């Protein structure tokens, strides 16, 4: 089914390898966000609790502190729309793949949460993680978290890498092709196991004003934009527990 992708990748391999190395060498490598990886909006015991786990987006790459990142901005939006105290926590590692994230989560101290959102896929795209392995790792992640989080994991779709203008062509389009393959896997898993997974479309971020200095990750306004687009679907008012 995916033979055309692999044939194209093989034919373009020398170009893709050169462009990939050059992109790593010339693209600014931004640090993970600093500051506390958790907080809340409102006073008293939280009525809603958001947990974001994953790669660079969860790690807050593109902003200075975690309270400017995705988990915090989601909690802020939910608090402002509902008036209820909303807590947030983020756990991310820049550059990580899903298999390594699983290992990290096995020993991580994570808080209680009503909603768990997974932001992954870019590094598994660029690392060409086999689809069957990626699927196995997603099922393993659900089993790992099942004892603590009863609701489905929200799968934030793999970013549309064919729109990442910081990447040159044809590398950008091949990576976008691969990202769509992993994203389709998300969609099928959510359809097959709706009690375990829910699929969320990733809001397209193309406005340079929404991007960080690397032209790749969201900046503060970018995280706000993504949070605003996701809040109604992430809100735990429709989640069990």
């Amino acid at each position: 089914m995916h033979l055309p992708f692999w044939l194209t990748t093989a034919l373009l391999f020398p170009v893709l390898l050169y462009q990939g190395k050059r992109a790593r060498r010339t693209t600014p490598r931004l640090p993970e966000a600093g500051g506390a990886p958790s907080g809340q909006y409102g006073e008293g015991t939280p009525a809603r609790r958001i947990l974001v786990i994953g790669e660079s987006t969860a790690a807050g790459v593109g902003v200075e502190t975690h309270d400017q990142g995705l988990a915090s901005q989601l909690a802020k939006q939910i608090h402002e729309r509902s008036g209820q105290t909303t807590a947030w926590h983020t756990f991310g590692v820049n550059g990580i793949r899903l298999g390594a994230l699983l290992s990290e989560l096995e020993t991580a101290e994570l808080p209680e949460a009503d909603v768990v959102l997974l932001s992954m896929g870019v590094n598994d795209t660029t690392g060409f993680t086999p689809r069957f392995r990626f699927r196995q790792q997603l099922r393993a992640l659900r089993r790992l978290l099942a004892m603590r989080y009863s609701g489905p994991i929200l799968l934030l779709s793999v970013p549309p890498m064919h729109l990442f203008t910081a990447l040159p062509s044809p590398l950008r389009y091949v990576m976008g092709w691969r990202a769509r393959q992993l994203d389709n896997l998300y969609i099928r898993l959510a359809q097959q196991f709706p009690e375990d997974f829910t699929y969320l479309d990733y809001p397209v971020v193309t406005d340079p004003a929404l991007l960080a200095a690397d032209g790749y990750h969201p900046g503060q306004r970018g995280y706000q934009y993504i949070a605003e687009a996701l809040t109604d679907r992430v809100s735990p008012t429709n989640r069990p527990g």
Side-chain angles (χ1 to χ4, degrees):
M1 179 179 179
H2 296 286
L3 183 61
F5 169 79
W6 292 114
L7 287 175
T8 301
T9 301
L11 289 171
L12 294 175
F13 181 76
V15 175
L16 299 178
L17 181 63
Y18 169 77
Q19 289 185 335
K21 289 183 176 180
R22 187 173 186 276
R24 290 189 185 94
R25 188 170 61 250
T26 59
T27 302
R29 184 168 178 82
L30 302 180
E32 297 181 0
S38 61
Q40 73 177 46
Y41 292 92
E43 302 295 330
T45 303
R48 306 179 179 195
R49 298 157 298 181
I50 305 296
L51 171 63
V52 175
I53 57 177
E55 51 189 1
S56 59
T57 302
V61 174
V63 291
E64 293 184 2
T65 56
H66 284 297
D67 61 0
Q68 299 170 326
L70 180 58
S72 174
Q73 293 304 314
L74 279 171
K76 182 179 181 181
Q77 287 291 325
I78 293 172
H79 169 66
E80 291 177 349
R81 297 186 191 189
S82 68
Q84 294 182 315
T85 298
T86 306
W88 61 273
H89 187 97
T90 192
F91 182 90
V93 181
N94 190 20
I96 202 168
R97 298 190 201 178
L98 185 54
L101 180 67
L102 275 169
S103 299
E104 294 283 342
L105 290 173
E106 288 177 353
T107 57
E109 295 184 5
L110 299 177
E112 294 183 0
D114 305 295
V115 168
V116 178
L117 185 148
L118 177 70
S119 177
M120 284 297 299
V122 170
N123 295 299
D124 286 284
T125 293
T126 59
F128 292 98
T129 300
R131 290 179 302 119
F132 78 91
R133 185 176 301 157
F134 194 65
R135 188 180 190 279
Q136 289 175 342
Q137 291 166 350
L138 286 167
R139 298 298 306 276
L141 175 66
R142 185 68 190 94
R143 291 192 297 270
L144 177 65
L145 300 180
M147 294 298 293
R148 299 190 63 187
Y149 308 111
S150 59
I153 296 174
L154 306 185
L155 302 174
L156 184 58
S157 61
V158 183
M161 296 186 68
H162 63 288
L163 300 178
F164 285 12
T165 54
L167 297 176
S169 175
L171 178 65
R172 178 168 77 249
Y173 297 107
V174 173
M175 290 296 98
W177 192 352
R178 184 58 175 173
R180 287 193 296 271
Q181 292 178 349
L182 295 188
D183 198 54
N184 287 333
L185 191 154
Y186 275 169
I187 294 172
R188 289 195 297 273
L189 265 183
Q191 292 171 341
Q192 293 173 339
F193 307 101
E195 71 284 0
D196 292 333
F197 302 101
T198 297
Y199 175 80
L200 297 180
D201 291 319
Y202 190 99
V204 177
V205 182
T206 56
D207 184 349
L210 301 179
L211 297 175
D214 61 358
Y216 189 79
H217 292 93
Q220 183 174 355
R221 289 180 58 191
Y223 283 116
Q224 292 172 348
Y225 170 79
I226 295 170
E228 289 171 0
L230 295 178
T231 294
D232 287 339
R233 300 180 66 189
V234 168
S235 175
T237 53
N238 295 323
R239 300 283 164 201

